[in-house]
């Protein structure tokens, strides 16, 4: 156990050195170890001027590490005020640190204790806490009252949310139980279900019929009356007066037999004034060609 606890302590010291850097100090490097951590509300990364300007309070947490820490015992804690606090605050901070250590018994606790103390310092980072005048004490009491009210309100909201969550969980559990168990089938609830089912079925059927009837009405078109419509033959033979084949044949025959007087002919004489065009024509060659064709045919 001793070797294991020693290993745990050395690993915790390395972790605290990495986290707090120069704010962490090893006072005794032999067992029992003694460690000190400087805690301020605002970490200014080593800038002393800025640290002094922003931090109105500060403490040093000292921890003496028992040989059987953390498995069997917790650290022995001390608080040293370095800025802006009174002795009465020292007791409050030490009690807060001890409670955090007890809540995490069995594991390394120094980091969580430091965080709780630093959180308290951040909440009380105001000037004048070390002032014991009547006015300062009245201001501090008023501030403490406000903080107590705020904390009580937070606790009330947390409890209310927890209760609401509990009620929701209860309802959800009841629903899950009903789903798992199902609904017992009795003659009464079966008949009630059957009636609802038949009503829903009838309603669905009526809706389908209405939709089908509406669709059929849309498809139906009024029939066209064709009783007075003529056939193609009637249309062609001119019984309707559009076309008369016999009349057309008669007009063509009259046109062939009709003789038109010469003085009534409309002839453009200018077309025949140019005799040169006629001189170019070789009528003899055409006649010879015709004779040759006749000889070949024989």
């Amino acid at each position: 156990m001793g070797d294991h606890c020693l290993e745990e302590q050395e690993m915790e010291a390395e972790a605290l050195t990495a986290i707090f850097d120069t704010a962490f100090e090893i006072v005794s490097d032999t067992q029992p170890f003694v460690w000190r951590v400087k805690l301020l509300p605002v970490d200014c990364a080593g800038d002393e001027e800025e640290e002094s300007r922003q931090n109105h309070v500060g403490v040093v947490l000292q921890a003496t590490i028992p040989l059987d820490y953390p498995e069997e015992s917790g650290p022995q804690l001390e608080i040293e005020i370095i800025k802006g606090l009174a002795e009465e605050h020292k007791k409050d901070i030490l009690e807060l640190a001890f409670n955090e250590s007890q809540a995490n018994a069995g594991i390394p606790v120094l980091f969580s204790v430091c965080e709780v103390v630093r959180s308290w310092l951040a909440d009380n980072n105001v000037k004048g806490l070390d002032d014991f005048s009547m006015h300062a004490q009245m201001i501090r009491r008023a501030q403490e009252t406000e903080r107590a009210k705020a904390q009580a309100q937070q606790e009330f909201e947390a409890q209310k949310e927890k209760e609401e969550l509990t009620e929701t969980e209860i309802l959800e559990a009841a629903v899950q139980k009903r789903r798992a168990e199902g609904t017992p089938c009795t003659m009464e609830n079966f008949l009630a279900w059957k009636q609802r089912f038949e009503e829903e079925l009838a309603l669905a059927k009526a809706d389908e019929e209405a939709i089908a009837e509406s669709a059929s009405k849309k498809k139906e078109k009024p029939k066209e009356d064709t009783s007075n419509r003529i056939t193609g033959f009637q249309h062609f033979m001119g019984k309707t007066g559009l076309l008369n084949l016999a009349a057309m044949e008669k007009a063509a025959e009259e046109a062939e037999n009709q003789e038109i007087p010469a003085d009534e002919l409309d002839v453009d004489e200018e077309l025949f004034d140019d005799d040169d065009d006629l001189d170019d024509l070789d009528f003899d060659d055409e006649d010879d060609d015709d004779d040759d064709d006749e000889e070949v045919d024989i």
Side-chain angles (χ1 to χ4, degrees):
M1 180 183 295
D3 293 341
H4 185 265
C5 289
L6 177 60
E7 184 180 358
E8 288 279 351
Q9 294 169 19
E10 291 176 347
M11 291 176 62
E12 185 174 10
E14 291 179 2
L16 293 174
T17 301
I19 294 171
F20 294 104
D21 196 15
T22 57
F24 177 72
E25 177 186 2
I26 299 177
V27 179
S28 175
D29 57 357
T30 59
Q31 289 185 300
F33 301 124
V34 179
W35 301 336
R36 288 168 61 89
V37 184
K38 181 182 178 181
L39 299 173
L40 298 171
V42 182
D43 184 7
C44 298
D47 188 339
E48 294 183 359
E49 182 178 354
E50 190 68 16
E51 183 179 288
S52 176
R53 187 180 68 84
Q54 294 195 37
N55 294 299
H56 306 296
V57 295
V59 299
V60 171
L61 174 68
Q62 178 170 306
T64 302
I65 309 301
L67 299 180
D68 55 357
Y69 168 84
E71 293 183 355
E72 298 294 336
S73 303
Q76 298 174 8
L77 303 175
E78 297 179 33
I79 293 294
E80 177 185 338
I81 297 173
I82 58 175
K83 185 178 183 180
L85 295 173
E87 287 296 322
E88 62 184 30
H89 301 123
K90 178 178 179 179
K91 180 180 178 181
D92 295 339
I93 296 172
L94 188 59
E95 182 179 359
L96 191 67
F98 178 77
N99 291 337
E100 183 66 18
S101 175
Q102 290 294 316
N104 294 277
I107 61 173
V109 298
L110 262 298
F111 175 73
S112 61
V113 170
C114 291
E115 286 300 299
V116 168
V117 173
R118 186 155 61 178
S119 177
W120 186 95
L121 294 174
D123 292 340
N124 295 272
N125 189 25
V126 293
K127 294 181 180 180
L129 292 182
D130 54 348
D131 185 358
F132 290 97
S133 65
M134 186 67 67
H135 177 68
Q137 291 180 12
M138 290 177 61
I139 292 176
R140 285 198 294 271
R141 282 196 293 269
Q143 292 175 344
E144 290 175 358
T145 301
E146 290 297 324
R147 284 197 297 270
K149 288 181 179 179
Q151 183 176 0
Q153 182 65 24
Q154 290 179 356
E155 293 176 354
F156 172 76
E157 294 292 338
Q159 182 64 25
K160 183 178 179 182
E161 183 178 356
K162 183 178 179 181
E163 291 176 355
E164 290 177 353
L165 180 61
T166 303
E167 292 179 0
T168 304
E169 291 176 349
I170 292 173
L171 293 175
E172 182 65 23
V175 171
Q176 294 293 339
K177 183 179 179 181
R178 287 198 300 270
R179 289 177 180 174
E181 295 178 352
T183 304
C185 183
T186 63
M187 182 59 69
E188 182 179 358
N189 59 29
F190 172 75
L191 292 176
W193 169 84
K194 183 174 181 295
Q195 182 179 358
R196 291 195 304 271
F197 176 75
E198 291 177 348
E199 290 175 354
E200 292 174 359
L201 191 63
L203 183 60
K205 185 177 180 181
D207 291 341
E208 291 178 359
E209 291 177 353
I211 294 172
E213 183 179 356
S214 176
S216 63
K217 287 182 178 180
K218 290 181 179 179
K219 291 180 180 179
E220 290 180 358
K221 295 182 179 179
K223 293 183 179 180
E224 185 179 356
D225 185 10
T226 59
S227 59
N228 296 325
R229 181 181 296 176
I230 63 173
T231 64
F233 178 76
Q234 293 173 338
H235 190 79
F236 182 75
M237 294 305 293
K239 290 187 176 181
T240 60
L242 298 177
L243 184 63
N244 194 323
L245 183 58
M248 292 176 62
E249 292 177 352
K250 183 179 180 181
E253 184 179 355
E254 291 177 353
E256 292 177 358
N257 298 329
Q258 185 178 5
E259 294 181 0
I260 302 175
D263 57 353
E264 293 182 5
L265 291 176
D266 186 9
V267 179
D268 188 358
E269 296 178 358
E270 293 179 359
L271 296 175
F272 303 96
D273 289 344
D274 191 1
D275 295 336
D276 296 337
D277 293 339
L278 296 177
D279 294 339
D280 295 336
L281 297 177
D282 189 0
F283 295 102
D284 296 336
D285 293 342
E286 290 181 1
D287 294 340
D288 294 341
D289 292 340
D290 293 340
D291 295 340
D292 294 340
D293 292 338
E294 289 177 0
E295 291 176 1
V296 173
D297 292 338
I298 294 172

